[in-house]
Amino acid sequence: MKTQNQSSVVEFILLGFSDPPKLQEQIFGVFLVIYLVTLMVNAIIIAAILLDQTLHIPMYLFLQNLSVVEVSFSAAIMPEMLVVLTTDRTTISFVGCFAQMYFILLFGGTECFLLGAMAYDRFAAICHPLTYPMIMNKRVFVKLVMFSWVSGVMVATVQTTWVFSFPFCGPNEINHISCETPAVLELVCADTFLFEIYAFTGTILIVLVPFFLILLSYLQIFFSILKMPSTTGRQKAFSTCASHVTLVTLFYGTASMTYLQPRSSYSSATKKVMSLVYKLLTSLLNPLIYSLRNNGMKMALVKLWRRAVVLQFDLLRSHVRFAHSSRKLYLNLINDENRFHFLILMCSQC
């Protein structure tokens, strides 16, 4: 193990999954597919909202920000995780581990606040439709988005700096799939009591408070849905809200179980599964549940598809025109050359 000043670790070893090689290959394939689908779906949503002016309203702009968070969250975790799955042991530098933890906390914290803001937006739109334009105007929207991102930056800066200010003088093997706070904290050879109090308090404020506010918002939405005259409309609204609540419960539940007690007694396998759920699974499901069940989003995706098809058709037509004009030019050149040879022949006979 490399050390610096005989006390500080300068690189870590990510152990990842301790499964047989064949099983690791299968897990690698599954995770690679999930990662690529997550990137593709979220990128399509970002592009669709960006290109469709009718979607430049708070609900869809919140969704666009969520897709940016999901893409960034996945990109901060998945490449290193895929490397871990393809090798027996993989090293990550001290700085690299710091950066990965920072971005996990940044995008995770931002998502916690952003989902809360989105729930408030839905509550205002459904429960107060007449005053919604005043409640969720452009200024309020910008403030909520800025608050979510700035809060994520603050959480990541404070927590990552604090964790890596501790001395690491013991083993450097992180029994996890990424440089997550609880896994790295197990290698600290110092008293972390104050940090654990901070982690407990911070998790309540960052994870549990937004979660309970989301549940409260959806409870009010449920009561408003019950007043709807149409049975079909009620069923559709209940189905959509139930899927939203299930997803946020999955995300906030696993995140709180991970961070409420950084030195918890959960097995390493359980910690890895919980980490995968709130990092990987929700990043894939969020765009599918929030976007593909939305009529406005469906129409935007159809427009984007049509635009892509038209663009491909125009490119194909331009290629055909270019090939046709090139062929005509070639034939003209041949005819000119033939005329030139004929003139030379005639002149030679004179």
Side-chain angles (χ1 to χ4, degrees):
M1 179 181 68
K2 298 179 182 179
T3 59
Q4 186 178 35
N5 296 330
Q6 304 299 320
S7 61
S8 299
V9 174
V10 297
E11 70 174 17
F12 296 98
I13 298 173
L14 289 170
L15 298 182
F17 294 94
S18 56
D19 301 298
K22 289 186 178 179
L23 184 58
Q24 288 212 13
E25 290 177 3
Q26 295 174 356
I27 295 174
F28 171 83
V30 172
F31 285 175
L32 180 61
V33 170
I34 292 175
Y35 177 51
L36 294 177
V37 171
T38 300
L39 293 182
M40 181 182 68
V41 172
N42 282 288
I44 290 173
I45 290 171
I46 294 169
I49 296 174
L50 185 67
L51 296 173
D52 194 337
Q53 294 291 328
T54 62
L55 298 185
H56 290 185
I57 57 177
M59 180 176 72
Y60 296 105
L61 294 176
F62 275 126
L63 184 59
Q64 187 181 44
N65 274 270
L66 182 64
S67 291
V68 171
V69 171
E70 300 298 6
V71 168
S72 305
F73 208 172
S74 299
I77 300 162
M78 286 304 299
E80 189 67 34
M81 187 189 301
L82 293 173
V83 171
V84 172
L85 286 170
T86 54
T87 56
D88 294 332
R89 302 199 322 172
T90 181
T91 59
I92 182 170
S93 67
F94 189 89
V95 175
C97 193
F98 179 97
Q100 189 180 58
M101 182 185 292
Y102 182 88
F103 287 119
I104 289 172
L105 293 169
L106 167 62
F107 299 122
T110 301
E111 184 169 350
C112 285
F113 292 111
L114 197 58
L115 288 173
M118 291 173 68
Y120 174 70
D121 175 68
R122 291 297 81 218
F123 161 75
I126 295 173
C127 299
H128 303 282
L130 298 179
T131 56
Y132 173 72
M134 292 180 289
I135 295 173
M136 189 56 67
N137 55 45
K138 185 177 180 180
R139 182 178 296 178
V140 174
F141 163 75
V142 171
K143 286 181 178 179
L144 288 173
V145 171
M146 290 296 295
F147 175 78
S148 300
W149 282 98
V150 171
S151 299
V153 170
M154 291 175 62
V155 169
T157 303
V158 172
Q159 186 158 321
T160 309
T161 305
W162 196 345
V163 169
F164 281 89
S165 67
F166 289 121
F168 295 91
C169 50
N172 66 338
E173 293 183 343
I174 300 175
N175 191 11
H176 208 270
I177 53 179
S178 62
C179 287
E180 198 158 19
T181 303
V184 175
L185 205 63
E186 292 178 0
L187 307 182
V188 170
C189 51
D191 184 15
T192 59
F193 178 72
L194 287 177
F195 178 83
E196 290 181 43
I197 293 177
Y198 156 78
F200 182 83
T201 308
T203 303
I204 290 175
L205 295 174
I206 299 163
V207 178
L208 294 183
V209 170
F211 176 56
F212 285 124
L213 290 176
I214 290 172
L215 292 182
L216 185 62
S217 297
Y218 275 103
L219 186 63
Q220 294 293 325
I221 291 171
F222 282 144
F223 286 133
S224 296
I225 292 172
L226 289 174
K227 299 176 184 178
M228 294 174 65
S230 171
T231 305
T232 305
R234 281 201 305 269
Q235 291 176 348
K236 186 177 180 180
F238 270 126
S239 175
T240 302
C241 290
S243 60
H244 289 182
V245 172
T246 302
L247 193 59
V248 298
T249 302
L250 196 64
F251 175 75
Y252 286 103
T254 51
S256 61
M257 289 171 67
T258 301
Y259 286 95
L260 268 176
Q261 292 179 297
R263 291 182 179 271
S264 62
S265 58
Y266 298 120
S267 66
S268 60
T270 303
K271 292 177 182 177
K272 292 171 187 177
V273 170
M274 288 193 300
S275 179
L276 287 174
V277 168
Y278 86 86
K279 291 176 185 173
L280 185 62
L281 190 60
T282 54
S283 295
L284 175 65
L285 294 178
N286 269 335
L288 298 176
I289 291 179
Y290 279 99
S291 302
L292 300 184
R293 303 190 66 170
N294 183 291
N295 290 330
M297 199 65 226
K298 288 179 183 177
M299 291 177 63
L301 292 174
V302 170
K303 288 180 183 178
L304 184 65
W305 172 255
R306 287 176 180 172
R307 185 177 298 186
V309 170
V310 170
L311 180 62
Q312 289 293 327
F313 179 76
D314 289 342
L315 288 174
L316 180 61
R317 188 166 56 182
S318 64
H319 283 309
V320 170
R321 286 177 178 174
F322 177 76
H324 181 68
S325 61
S326 299
R327 183 173 178 273
K328 285 184 65 177
L329 179 62
Y330 176 72
L331 291 175
N332 289 335
L333 289 173
I334 291 176
N335 291 334
D336 291 342
E337 187 176 1
N338 290 337
R339 290 194 192 101
F340 179 73
H341 286 302
F342 177 75
L343 289 172
I344 292 175
L345 181 63
M346 292 296 293
C347 291
S348 63
Q349 291 177 354
C350 293

